[in-house]
């Protein structure tokens, strides 16, 4: 279990190590290193997802580690409450950024081992704090530089901790 302690409340995550071992190990390494401490949810789209893990307050991009192999072919669907790795158009480009689905986003699921078909690896789910996620998804957003859907009021992850 990982707990994201946010300025809106705590979000407890159960990670699917059996379904996405490399992704879970990667996420846990960022948690253990304190990488997610004092980062923000920098992209929020109601009826889609809330994304974090890559920016400090003021939309200051953090330097993340190497990309990991996409494990989206694990049979886990991007349903409401699941956490998945964010990435670029390159299927195997995920590193630190993640998102929590606030809608059933089956169109993000694995279809085939092609650039368009890889999808996004769901590797866990919210087991407590979905009310917090729902508060985050409801914030007002705007643009910040080249970025869109940025919360007008920062939503901070003060720390991420591992619970047994």
């Amino acid at each position: 279990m990982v707990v994201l302690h946010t300025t809106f409340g705590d979000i407890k995550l159960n990670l699917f190590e059996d379904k996405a071992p490399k992704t879970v190990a990667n996420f846990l390494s960022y948690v253990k290193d304190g990488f997610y401490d004092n980062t923000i949810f920098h992209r929020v789209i109601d009826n889609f997802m809330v994304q974090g893990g890559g920016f400090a307050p003021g939309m200051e991009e953090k330097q993340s580690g190497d990309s990991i192999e996409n494990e989206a072919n694990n049979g886990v669907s991007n349903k409401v409450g699941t956490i998945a790795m964010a990435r670029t158009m390159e299927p195997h480009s995920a590193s630190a950024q993640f998102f929590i689905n606030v809608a059933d986003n089956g169109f993000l699921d694995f279809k085939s081992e092609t650039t368009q078909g890889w999808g996004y690896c769901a590797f866990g789910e919210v087991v407590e704090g979905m009310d917090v996620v729902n508060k985050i998804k409801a914030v007002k957003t705007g643009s910040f530089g080249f970025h869109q859907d940025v919360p007008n009021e920062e939503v901070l992850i003060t720390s991420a901790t591992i619970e047994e």
Side-chain angles (χ1 to χ4, degrees):
M1 296 278 190
V2 168
V3 181
L4 302 177
H5 304 279
T6 80
T7 49
F8 281 42
D10 289 352
I11 303 166
K12 187 181 276 191
L13 305 165
N14 178 38
L15 305 181
F16 304 148
E17 194 171 13
D18 58 328
K19 300 278 190 189
K22 294 174 187 166
T23 306
V24 168
N26 175 69
F27 185 76
L28 288 174
S29 73
Y30 282 110
V31 171
K32 288 175 187 165
D33 290 346
F35 184 87
Y36 296 129
D37 297 359
N38 298 309
T39 59
I40 58 172
F41 280 97
H42 66 275
R43 187 168 173 237
V44 172
I45 305 173
D46 193 8
N47 295 315
F48 182 36
M49 56 90 223
V50 299
Q51 183 173 335
F55 289 83
M59 287 298 288
E60 183 181 320
E61 191 164 6
K62 292 190 71 166
Q63 192 61 46
S64 61
D66 292 337
S67 299
I68 59 168
E69 179 185 336
N70 190 332
E71 294 178 301
N73 55 352
N74 63 7
V76 180
S77 183
N78 282 276
K79 298 216 175 295
V80 171
T82 55
I83 182 172
M85 292 307 294
R87 61 173 178 79
T88 66
M89 295 305 291
E90 197 326 278
H92 303 284
S93 62
S95 59
Q97 291 189 36
F98 61 87
F99 60 92
I100 299 172
N101 288 290
V102 298
D104 288 337
N105 294 318
F107 68 95
L108 298 177
D109 293 349
F110 174 83
K111 310 270 185 306
S112 64
E113 291 187 9
T114 63
T115 302
Q116 283 75 29
W118 259 105
Y120 294 76
C121 179
F123 64 96
E125 66 184 346
V126 175
V127 291
E128 284 178 35
M130 200 59 201
D131 58 326
V132 175
V133 175
N134 287 331
K135 275 196 264 183
I136 296 169
K137 80 171 185 177
V139 300
K140 293 198 180 328
T141 60
S143 295
F144 189 102
F146 295 110
H147 301 277
Q148 297 177 328
D149 308 305
V150 178
N152 294 338
E153 172 194 342
E154 288 185 334
V155 180
L156 189 68
I157 298 170
T158 54
S159 66
T161 58
I162 297 171
E163 272 190 11
E164 294 304 318

